[in-house]
PDB file of all heavy atoms in Angstrom:
ATOM      1  N   GLY Y   1       6.334  -1.313  11.465  1.00  0.00           N
ATOM      2  CA  GLY Y   1       5.751  -0.590  10.339  1.00  0.00           C
ATOM      3  C   GLY Y   1       6.252  -1.093   9.003  1.00  0.00           C
ATOM      4  O   GLY Y   1       5.474  -1.307   8.064  1.00  0.00           O
ATOM      5  N   ASP Y   2       7.564  -1.315   8.901  1.00  0.00           N
ATOM      6  CA  ASP Y   2       8.140  -1.820   7.653  1.00  0.00           C
ATOM      7  C   ASP Y   2       7.634  -3.210   7.325  1.00  0.00           C
ATOM      8  O   ASP Y   2       7.381  -3.537   6.161  1.00  0.00           O
ATOM      9  CB  ASP Y   2       9.668  -1.843   7.763  1.00  0.00           C
ATOM     10  CG  ASP Y   2      10.295  -0.710   6.976  1.00  0.00           C
ATOM     11  OD1 ASP Y   2       9.558   0.219   6.582  1.00  0.00           O
ATOM     12  OD2 ASP Y   2      11.512  -0.749   6.750  1.00  0.00           O
ATOM     13  N   SER Y   3       7.511  -4.054   8.342  1.00  0.00           N
ATOM     14  CA  SER Y   3       7.053  -5.424   8.119  1.00  0.00           C
ATOM     15  C   SER Y   3       5.673  -5.433   7.477  1.00  0.00           C
ATOM     16  O   SER Y   3       5.424  -6.147   6.507  1.00  0.00           O
ATOM     17  CB  SER Y   3       7.026  -6.185   9.443  1.00  0.00           C
ATOM     18  OG  SER Y   3       6.587  -7.521   9.241  1.00  0.00           O
ATOM     19  N   VAL Y   4       4.774  -4.609   8.018  1.00  0.00           N
ATOM     20  CA  VAL Y   4       3.421  -4.542   7.461  1.00  0.00           C
ATOM     21  C   VAL Y   4       3.432  -3.903   6.076  1.00  0.00           C
ATOM     22  O   VAL Y   4       2.824  -4.411   5.130  1.00  0.00           O
ATOM     23  CB  VAL Y   4       2.483  -3.758   8.404  1.00  0.00           C
ATOM     24  CG1 VAL Y   4       1.108  -3.593   7.777  1.00  0.00           C
ATOM     25  CG2 VAL Y   4       2.369  -4.471   9.751  1.00  0.00           C
ATOM     26  N   ASN Y   5       4.157  -2.785   5.931  1.00  0.00           N
ATOM     27  CA  ASN Y   5       4.182  -2.082   4.646  1.00  0.00           C
ATOM     28  C   ASN Y   5       4.762  -2.934   3.524  1.00  0.00           C
ATOM     29  O   ASN Y   5       4.257  -2.927   2.398  1.00  0.00           O
ATOM     30  CB  ASN Y   5       4.979  -0.778   4.779  1.00  0.00           C
ATOM     31  CG  ASN Y   5       4.219   0.286   5.529  1.00  0.00           C
ATOM     32  OD1 ASN Y   5       2.989   0.281   5.553  1.00  0.00           O
ATOM     33  ND2 ASN Y   5       4.931   1.211   6.163  1.00  0.00           N
ATOM     34  N   HIS Y   6       5.813  -3.668   3.828  1.00  0.00           N
ATOM     35  CA  HIS Y   6       6.420  -4.506   2.792  1.00  0.00           C
ATOM     36  C   HIS Y   6       5.530  -5.691   2.442  1.00  0.00           C
ATOM     37  O   HIS Y   6       5.523  -6.149   1.302  1.00  0.00           O
ATOM     38  CB  HIS Y   6       7.795  -4.987   3.254  1.00  0.00           C
ATOM     39  CG  HIS Y   6       8.807  -3.887   3.330  1.00  0.00           C
ATOM     40  ND1 HIS Y   6      10.068  -4.075   3.861  1.00  0.00           N
ATOM     41  CD2 HIS Y   6       8.754  -2.589   2.945  1.00  0.00           C
ATOM     42  CE1 HIS Y   6      10.738  -2.931   3.796  1.00  0.00           C
ATOM     43  NE2 HIS Y   6       9.958  -2.018   3.254  1.00  0.00           N
ATOM     44  N   ARG Y   7       4.789  -6.195   3.398  1.00  0.00           N
ATOM     45  CA  ARG Y   7       3.848  -7.278   3.109  1.00  0.00           C
ATOM     46  C   ARG Y   7       2.708  -6.796   2.213  1.00  0.00           C
ATOM     47  O   ARG Y   7       2.154  -7.551   1.429  1.00  0.00           O
ATOM     48  CB  ARG Y   7       3.259  -7.852   4.400  1.00  0.00           C
ATOM     49  CG  ARG Y   7       4.248  -8.541   5.325  1.00  0.00           C
ATOM     50  CD  ARG Y   7       5.077  -9.531   4.619  1.00  0.00           C
ATOM     51  NE  ARG Y   7       5.246 -10.747   5.404  1.00  0.00           N
ATOM     52  CZ  ARG Y   7       5.993 -11.761   5.001  1.00  0.00           C
ATOM     53  NH1 ARG Y   7       6.616 -11.693   3.858  1.00  0.00           N
ATOM     54  NH2 ARG Y   7       6.111 -12.834   5.730  1.00  0.00           N
ATOM     55  N   LEU Y   8       2.345  -5.517   2.361  1.00  0.00           N
ATOM     56  CA  LEU Y   8       1.266  -4.972   1.552  1.00  0.00           C
ATOM     57  C   LEU Y   8       1.609  -4.957   0.061  1.00  0.00           C
ATOM     58  O   LEU Y   8       0.711  -4.902  -0.782  1.00  0.00           O
ATOM     59  CB  LEU Y   8       0.935  -3.547   2.012  1.00  0.00           C
ATOM     60  CG  LEU Y   8       0.213  -3.411   3.356  1.00  0.00           C
ATOM     61  CD1 LEU Y   8       0.070  -1.939   3.732  1.00  0.00           C
ATOM     62  CD2 LEU Y   8      -1.157  -4.076   3.308  1.00  0.00           C
ATOM     63  N   ILE Y   9       2.906  -4.987  -0.261  1.00  0.00           N
ATOM     64  CA  ILE Y   9       3.318  -5.008  -1.667  1.00  0.00           C
ATOM     65  C   ILE Y   9       2.713  -6.207  -2.387  1.00  0.00           C
ATOM     66  O   ILE Y   9       2.288  -6.120  -3.545  1.00  0.00           O
ATOM     67  CB  ILE Y   9       4.859  -5.042  -1.781  1.00  0.00           C
ATOM     68  CG1 ILE Y   9       5.439  -3.706  -1.306  1.00  0.00           C
ATOM     69  CG2 ILE Y   9       5.292  -5.311  -3.223  1.00  0.00           C
ATOM     70  CD1 ILE Y   9       6.941  -3.666  -1.332  1.00  0.00           C
ATOM     71  N   PHE Y  10       2.628  -7.348  -1.685  1.00  0.00           N
ATOM     72  CA  PHE Y  10       2.085  -8.560  -2.292  1.00  0.00           C
ATOM     73  C   PHE Y  10       0.587  -8.424  -2.563  1.00  0.00           C
ATOM     74  O   PHE Y  10       0.017  -9.204  -3.315  1.00  0.00           O
ATOM     75  CB  PHE Y  10       2.345  -9.768  -1.386  1.00  0.00           C
ATOM     76  CG  PHE Y  10       3.791 -10.134  -1.276  1.00  0.00           C
ATOM     77  CD1 PHE Y  10       4.544  -9.752  -0.172  1.00  0.00           C
ATOM     78  CD2 PHE Y  10       4.412 -10.863  -2.276  1.00  0.00           C
ATOM     79  CE1 PHE Y  10       5.882 -10.092  -0.075  1.00  0.00           C
ATOM     80  CE2 PHE Y  10       5.757 -11.202  -2.185  1.00  0.00           C
ATOM     81  CZ  PHE Y  10       6.493 -10.815  -1.083  1.00  0.00           C
ATOM     82  N   SER Y  11      -0.044  -7.447  -1.937  1.00  0.00           N
ATOM     83  CA  SER Y  11      -1.472  -7.207  -2.159  1.00  0.00           C
ATOM     84  C   SER Y  11      -1.719  -6.074  -3.147  1.00  0.00           C
ATOM     85  O   SER Y  11      -2.860  -5.694  -3.387  1.00  0.00           O
ATOM     86  CB  SER Y  11      -2.165  -6.886  -0.824  1.00  0.00           C
ATOM     87  OG  SER Y  11      -2.000  -7.939   0.099  1.00  0.00           O
ATOM     88  N   GLY Y  12      -0.613  -5.516  -3.676  1.00  0.00           N
ATOM     89  CA  GLY Y  12      -0.755  -4.470  -4.674  1.00  0.00           C
ATOM     90  C   GLY Y  12      -0.478  -3.069  -4.178  1.00  0.00           C
ATOM     91  O   GLY Y  12      -0.700  -2.104  -4.915  1.00  0.00           O
ATOM     92  N   TYR Y  13       0.005  -2.938  -2.944  1.00  0.00           N
ATOM     93  CA  TYR Y  13       0.307  -1.595  -2.419  1.00  0.00           C
ATOM     94  C   TYR Y  13       1.487  -1.011  -3.189  1.00  0.00           C
ATOM     95  O   TYR Y  13       2.456  -1.702  -3.495  1.00  0.00           O
ATOM     96  CB  TYR Y  13       0.637  -1.681  -0.932  1.00  0.00           C
ATOM     97  CG  TYR Y  13       0.778  -0.334  -0.256  1.00  0.00           C
ATOM     98  CD1 TYR Y  13      -0.333   0.330   0.238  1.00  0.00           C
ATOM     99  CD2 TYR Y  13       2.024   0.274  -0.119  1.00  0.00           C
ATOM    100  CE1 TYR Y  13      -0.213   1.572   0.860  1.00  0.00           C
ATOM    101  CE2 TYR Y  13       2.148   1.504   0.498  1.00  0.00           C
ATOM    102  CZ  TYR Y  13       1.026   2.148   0.986  1.00  0.00           C
ATOM    103  OH  TYR Y  13       1.146   3.377   1.592  1.00  0.00           O
ATOM    104  N   GLN Y  14       1.408   0.282  -3.490  1.00  0.00           N
ATOM    105  CA  GLN Y  14       2.429   0.966  -4.274  1.00  0.00           C
ATOM    106  C   GLN Y  14       3.051   2.084  -3.446  1.00  0.00           C
ATOM    107  O   GLN Y  14       2.376   3.061  -3.112  1.00  0.00           O
ATOM    108  CB  GLN Y  14       1.818   1.532  -5.561  1.00  0.00           C
ATOM    109  CG  GLN Y  14       1.166   0.463  -6.431  1.00  0.00           C
ATOM    110  CD  GLN Y  14       0.426   1.054  -7.609  1.00  0.00           C
ATOM    111  OE1 GLN Y  14       0.987   1.859  -8.355  1.00  0.00           O
ATOM    112  NE2 GLN Y  14      -0.825   0.669  -7.786  1.00  0.00           N
ATOM    113  N   HIS Y  15       4.337   1.918  -3.133  1.00  0.00           N
ATOM    114  CA  HIS Y  15       5.010   2.871  -2.248  1.00  0.00           C
ATOM    115  C   HIS Y  15       5.220   4.236  -2.893  1.00  0.00           C
ATOM    116  O   HIS Y  15       5.502   5.212  -2.183  1.00  0.00           O
ATOM    117  CB  HIS Y  15       6.358   2.310  -1.790  1.00  0.00           C
ATOM    118  CG  HIS Y  15       6.248   1.351  -0.644  1.00  0.00           C
ATOM    119  ND1 HIS Y  15       6.154   1.762   0.658  1.00  0.00           N
ATOM    120  CD2 HIS Y  15       6.191   0.000  -0.610  1.00  0.00           C
ATOM    121  CE1 HIS Y  15       6.049   0.712   1.455  1.00  0.00           C
ATOM    122  NE2 HIS Y  15       6.074  -0.371   0.709  1.00  0.00           N
ATOM    123  N   HIS Y  16       5.125   4.305  -4.204  1.00  0.00           N
ATOM    124  CA  HIS Y  16       5.323   5.597  -4.856  1.00  0.00           C
ATOM    125  C   HIS Y  16       4.069   6.466  -4.798  1.00  0.00           C
ATOM    126  O   HIS Y  16       4.076   7.602  -5.263  1.00  0.00           O
ATOM    127  CB  HIS Y  16       5.760   5.402  -6.313  1.00  0.00           C
ATOM    128  CG  HIS Y  16       4.778   4.633  -7.145  1.00  0.00           C
ATOM    129  ND1 HIS Y  16       4.752   3.260  -7.165  1.00  0.00           N
ATOM    130  CD2 HIS Y  16       3.783   5.042  -7.967  1.00  0.00           C
ATOM    131  CE1 HIS Y  16       3.796   2.848  -7.975  1.00  0.00           C
ATOM    132  NE2 HIS Y  16       3.189   3.902  -8.474  1.00  0.00           N
ATOM    133  N   LEU Y  17       2.982   5.923  -4.227  1.00  0.00           N
ATOM    134  CA  LEU Y  17       1.752   6.684  -4.040  1.00  0.00           C
ATOM    135  C   LEU Y  17       1.535   6.942  -2.548  1.00  0.00           C
ATOM    136  O   LEU Y  17       2.042   6.198  -1.710  1.00  0.00           O
ATOM    137  CB  LEU Y  17       0.545   5.926  -4.614  1.00  0.00           C
ATOM    138  CG  LEU Y  17       0.570   5.613  -6.113  1.00  0.00           C
ATOM    139  CD1 LEU Y  17      -0.624   4.747  -6.484  1.00  0.00           C
ATOM    140  CD2 LEU Y  17       0.589   6.892  -6.945  1.00  0.00           C
ATOM    141  N   SER Y  18       0.782   7.972  -2.227  1.00  0.00           N
ATOM    142  CA  SER Y  18       0.445   8.216  -0.833  1.00  0.00           C
ATOM    143  C   SER Y  18      -0.531   7.154  -0.351  1.00  0.00           C
ATOM    144  O   SER Y  18      -1.078   6.385  -1.155  1.00  0.00           O
ATOM    145  CB  SER Y  18      -0.172   9.606  -0.669  1.00  0.00           C
ATOM    146  OG  SER Y  18      -1.434   9.664  -1.307  1.00  0.00           O
ATOM    147  N   VAL Y  19      -0.755   7.104   0.971  1.00  0.00           N
ATOM    148  CA  VAL Y  19      -1.631   6.073   1.529  1.00  0.00           C
ATOM    149  C   VAL Y  19      -3.023   6.142   0.906  1.00  0.00           C
ATOM    150  O   VAL Y  19      -3.579   5.146   0.442  1.00  0.00           O
ATOM    151  CB  VAL Y  19      -1.725   6.219   3.062  1.00  0.00           C
ATOM    152  CG1 VAL Y  19      -2.742   5.225   3.629  1.00  0.00           C
ATOM    153  CG2 VAL Y  19      -0.356   5.983   3.694  1.00  0.00           C
ATOM    154  N   ARG Y  20      -3.599   7.325   0.862  1.00  0.00           N
ATOM    155  CA  ARG Y  20      -4.973   7.479   0.374  1.00  0.00           C
ATOM    156  C   ARG Y  20      -5.087   7.312  -1.138  1.00  0.00           C
ATOM    157  O   ARG Y  20      -6.169   7.047  -1.652  1.00  0.00           O
ATOM    158  CB  ARG Y  20      -5.532   8.834   0.788  1.00  0.00           C
ATOM    159  CG  ARG Y  20      -5.814   8.918   2.279  1.00  0.00           C
ATOM    160  CD  ARG Y  20      -6.535  10.179   2.681  1.00  0.00           C
ATOM    161  NE  ARG Y  20      -6.806  10.181   4.114  1.00  0.00           N
ATOM    162  CZ  ARG Y  20      -7.901   9.663   4.661  1.00  0.00           C
ATOM    163  NH1 ARG Y  20      -8.841   9.135   3.893  1.00  0.00           N
ATOM    164  NH2 ARG Y  20      -8.069   9.686   5.975  1.00  0.00           N
ATOM    165  N   GLU Y  21      -3.985   7.460  -1.878  1.00  0.00           N
ATOM    166  CA  GLU Y  21      -4.033   7.305  -3.332  1.00  0.00           C
ATOM    167  C   GLU Y  21      -3.871   5.861  -3.777  1.00  0.00           C
ATOM    168  O   GLU Y  21      -4.085   5.545  -4.941  1.00  0.00           O
ATOM    169  CB  GLU Y  21      -2.933   8.156  -3.980  1.00  0.00           C
ATOM    170  CG  GLU Y  21      -3.183   9.654  -3.897  1.00  0.00           C
ATOM    171  CD  GLU Y  21      -2.035  10.449  -4.479  1.00  0.00           C
ATOM    172  OE1 GLU Y  21      -0.922   9.894  -4.586  1.00  0.00           O
ATOM    173  OE2 GLU Y  21      -2.239  11.623  -4.823  1.00  0.00           O
ATOM    174  N   ASN Y  22      -3.492   4.959  -2.861  1.00  0.00           N
ATOM    175  CA  ASN Y  22      -3.293   3.564  -3.235  1.00  0.00           C
ATOM    176  C   ASN Y  22      -4.630   2.893  -3.550  1.00  0.00           C
ATOM    177  O   ASN Y  22      -5.575   2.997  -2.754  1.00  0.00           O
ATOM    178  CB  ASN Y  22      -2.586   2.802  -2.102  1.00  0.00           C
ATOM    179  CG  ASN Y  22      -1.096   2.719  -2.332  1.00  0.00           C
ATOM    180  OD1 ASN Y  22      -0.610   1.782  -2.951  1.00  0.00           O
ATOM    181  ND2 ASN Y  22      -0.392   3.717  -1.837  1.00  0.00           N
ATOM    182  N   PRO Y  23      -4.715   2.202  -4.693  1.00  0.00           N
ATOM    183  CA  PRO Y  23      -5.977   1.559  -5.079  1.00  0.00           C
ATOM    184  C   PRO Y  23      -6.517   0.601  -4.027  1.00  0.00           C
ATOM    185  O   PRO Y  23      -7.724   0.581  -3.771  1.00  0.00           O
ATOM    186  CB  PRO Y  23      -5.602   0.815  -6.368  1.00  0.00           C
ATOM    187  CG  PRO Y  23      -4.438   1.566  -6.918  1.00  0.00           C
ATOM    188  CD  PRO Y  23      -3.666   2.045  -5.723  1.00  0.00           C
ATOM    189  N   ILE Y  24      -5.646  -0.184  -3.377  1.00  0.00           N
ATOM    190  CA  ILE Y  24      -6.141  -1.164  -2.412  1.00  0.00           C
ATOM    191  C   ILE Y  24      -6.634  -0.485  -1.137  1.00  0.00           C
ATOM    192  O   ILE Y  24      -7.470  -1.032  -0.418  1.00  0.00           O
ATOM    193  CB  ILE Y  24      -5.068  -2.224  -2.066  1.00  0.00           C
ATOM    194  CG1 ILE Y  24      -3.882  -1.571  -1.332  1.00  0.00           C
ATOM    195  CG2 ILE Y  24      -4.600  -2.959  -3.303  1.00  0.00           C
ATOM    196  CD1 ILE Y  24      -2.939  -2.599  -0.726  1.00  0.00           C
ATOM    197  N   ILE Y  25      -6.136   0.714  -0.847  1.00  0.00           N
ATOM    198  CA  ILE Y  25      -6.576   1.448   0.338  1.00  0.00           C
ATOM    199  C   ILE Y  25      -7.892   2.167   0.067  1.00  0.00           C
ATOM    200  O   ILE Y  25      -8.767   2.255   0.937  1.00  0.00           O
ATOM    201  CB  ILE Y  25      -5.500   2.448   0.789  1.00  0.00           C
ATOM    202  CG1 ILE Y  25      -4.179   1.719   1.090  1.00  0.00           C
ATOM    203  CG2 ILE Y  25      -5.957   3.218   2.016  1.00  0.00           C
ATOM    204  CD1 ILE Y  25      -4.231   0.748   2.241  1.00  0.00           C
ATOM    205  N   LYS Y  26      -8.049   2.683  -1.157  1.00  0.00           N
ATOM    206  CA  LYS Y  26      -9.265   3.413  -1.512  1.00  0.00           C
ATOM    207  C   LYS Y  26     -10.526   2.577  -1.326  1.00  0.00           C
ATOM    208  O   LYS Y  26     -11.590   3.095  -1.003  1.00  0.00           O
ATOM    209  CB  LYS Y  26      -9.188   3.877  -2.969  1.00  0.00           C
ATOM    210  CG  LYS Y  26      -8.272   5.062  -3.211  1.00  0.00           C
ATOM    211  CD  LYS Y  26      -8.302   5.450  -4.679  1.00  0.00           C
ATOM    212  CE  LYS Y  26      -7.426   6.666  -4.950  1.00  0.00           C
ATOM    213  NZ  LYS Y  26      -7.441   7.030  -6.392  1.00  0.00           N
ATOM    214  N   ASN Y  27     -10.389   1.259  -1.528  1.00  0.00           N
ATOM    215  CA  ASN Y  27     -11.562   0.378  -1.487  1.00  0.00           C
ATOM    216  C   ASN Y  27     -11.879  -0.150  -0.097  1.00  0.00           C
ATOM    217  O   ASN Y  27     -12.779  -0.979   0.060  1.00  0.00           O
ATOM    218  CB  ASN Y  27     -11.358  -0.804  -2.444  1.00  0.00           C
ATOM    219  CG  ASN Y  27     -11.196  -0.351  -3.893  1.00  0.00           C
ATOM    220  OD1 ASN Y  27     -11.819   0.623  -4.301  1.00  0.00           O
ATOM    221  ND2 ASN Y  27     -10.354  -1.036  -4.645  1.00  0.00           N
ATOM    222  N   LEU Y  28     -11.141   0.289   0.913  1.00  0.00           N
ATOM    223  CA  LEU Y  28     -11.380  -0.216   2.271  1.00  0.00           C
ATOM    224  C   LEU Y  28     -12.710   0.298   2.816  1.00  0.00           C
ATOM    225  O   LEU Y  28     -13.087   1.447   2.616  1.00  0.00           O
ATOM    226  CB  LEU Y  28     -10.252   0.223   3.201  1.00  0.00           C
ATOM    227  CG  LEU Y  28      -8.906  -0.495   3.073  1.00  0.00           C
ATOM    228  CD1 LEU Y  28      -7.892   0.118   4.020  1.00  0.00           C
ATOM    229  CD2 LEU Y  28      -9.047  -1.989   3.368  1.00  0.00           C
TER     230      LEU Y  28
END
């Protein structure tokens, strides 16, 4: 889980937001 989550940072994932509030997740 950490490996994937930390890699998502390079795509713009923001850990201070919930999963559904992240801009890159909203557009899926």
Side-chain angles (χ1 to χ4, degrees):
D2 255 14
S3 180
V4 175
N5 286 334
H6 291 173
R7 295 310 222 183
L8 288 175
I9 291 178
F10 292 100
S11 302
Y13 188 86
Q14 302 173 51
H15 278 278
H16 59 276
L17 299 174
S18 67
V19 175
R20 289 188 178 271
E21 290 177 340
N22 264 270
I24 66 168
I25 302 296
K26 285 181 178 179
N27 299 325
L28 285 177

